[in-house]
């Protein structure tokens, strides 16, 4: 309940909620928050772990064996869903990284999982590239589908989620080499 309250408050307001706000939303006292978590940093780490588990479940590897257009659509739609749902937490998470070894480690895990998903979804096309070009293409796609890229498309350019997905699909399709003849 405490973690859900924390995440709910972040979705409503980009400012990191106070213990009093979290307690009120969760229906607990502030004291009970600190009985469960030694400090707000521990709560942030726990909320991040919770979100990572949820996002991983929402980005399962299914869909990696279709044709190029099906893989593009599946990958982009799932990534967009994760960005839409977890952007507020990602922003709070990045703003509060500071000297937190735990949160820095989780940031690396998130990026690593995104890269692994890219490599899985576009394996046929990436296999056509040399090592350096493959690495550069994966880096470009990872940068393209970043949380802040999603936010920028909506907040600055006013795109709907469907329009944002179309932009990502077109851009990734242009970054990838033509698929091998047998895929």
């Amino acid at each position: 309940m405490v973690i859900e309250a924390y995440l709910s408050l972040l979705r409503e307001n980009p400012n990191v909620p106070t213990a009093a706000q979290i307690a009120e939303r969760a229906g607990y006292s502030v004291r009970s928050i600190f009985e469960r978590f030694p400090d707000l940093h521990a709560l942030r780490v726990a909320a991040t772990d919770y979100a990572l588990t949820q996002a991983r479940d929402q980005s399962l590897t299914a869909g990696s064996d279709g044709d190029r257009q099906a893989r593009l659509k599946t990958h982009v739609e799932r990534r967009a869903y994760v960005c839409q749902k977890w952007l507020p937490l990602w922003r709070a998470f990045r703003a509060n990284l500071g000297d937190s070894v735990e949160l820095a480690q989780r940031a690396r895990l998130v990026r690593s999982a995104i890269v692994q998903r890219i490599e899985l979804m576009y394996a046929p096309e990436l296999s056509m590239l040399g090592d350096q070009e493959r690495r550069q293409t994966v880096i470009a796609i990872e940068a393209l589908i970043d949380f802040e890229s999603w936010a920028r498309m909506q907040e600055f350019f006013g795109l709907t989620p469907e329009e944002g997905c179309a932009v990502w699909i077109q851009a990734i399709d242009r970054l990838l080499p033509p698929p091998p003849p047998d895929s």
Side-chain angles (χ1 to χ4, degrees):
M1 294 290 290
V2 173
I3 290 173
E4 286 290 342
Y6 174 78
L7 293 173
S8 174
L9 288 164
L10 280 178
R11 285 186 186 104
E12 295 170 13
N13 186 333
N15 298 322
V16 177
T18 65
Q21 292 170 320
I22 297 165
E24 182 180 338
R25 176 65 57 96
Y28 291 116
S29 69
V30 172
R31 181 176 178 215
S32 65
I33 300 287
F34 292 110
E35 288 172 350
R36 289 165 176 78
F37 301 96
D39 54 32
L40 289 180
H41 175 70
L43 173 57
R44 279 193 294 274
V45 171
T48 300
D49 288 343
Y50 175 81
L52 288 174
T53 300
Q54 296 291 314
R56 184 177 51 239
D57 292 346
Q58 294 157 359
S59 297
L60 298 174
T61 59
S64 63
D65 56 354
D67 68 15
R68 181 180 178 128
Q69 289 308 308
R71 287 181 287 118
L72 277 164
K73 184 177 185 316
T74 298
H75 179 237
V76 164
E77 286 177 354
R78 287 185 179 178
R79 180 68 186 143
Y81 176 82
V82 168
C83 286
Q84 189 74 27
K85 182 169 183 170
W86 297 110
L87 177 64
L89 177 62
W90 180 256
R91 285 181 166 165
F93 169 76
R94 296 294 301 163
N96 289 287
L97 265 176
D99 295 327
S100 172
V101 174
E102 297 96 343
L103 292 178
Q105 178 187 36
R106 277 135 178 107
R108 285 190 298 278
L109 287 172
V110 168
R111 298 267 184 226
S112 178
I114 293 167
V115 166
Q116 288 173 5
R117 179 86 172 135
I118 291 166
E119 290 171 340
L120 174 71
M121 294 304 289
Y122 307 116
E125 292 82 8
L126 295 172
S127 71
M128 305 291 290
L129 303 173
D131 290 344
Q132 182 176 356
E133 191 176 6
R134 180 174 41 250
R135 182 174 185 271
Q136 290 172 345
T137 301
V138 169
I139 290 169
I141 294 171
E142 191 278 334
L144 175 70
I145 62 170
D146 185 58
F147 282 100
E148 290 303 327
S149 168
W150 183 253
R152 201 167 29 261
M153 288 191 296
Q154 292 184 325
E155 295 166 4
F156 184 75
F157 292 103
L159 300 184
T160 66
E162 294 77 17
E163 291 168 330
C165 284
V167 167
W168 275 359
I169 288 170
Q170 183 180 45
I172 294 169
D173 196 35
R174 288 179 177 174
L175 284 169
L176 294 170
D182 62 335
S183 66

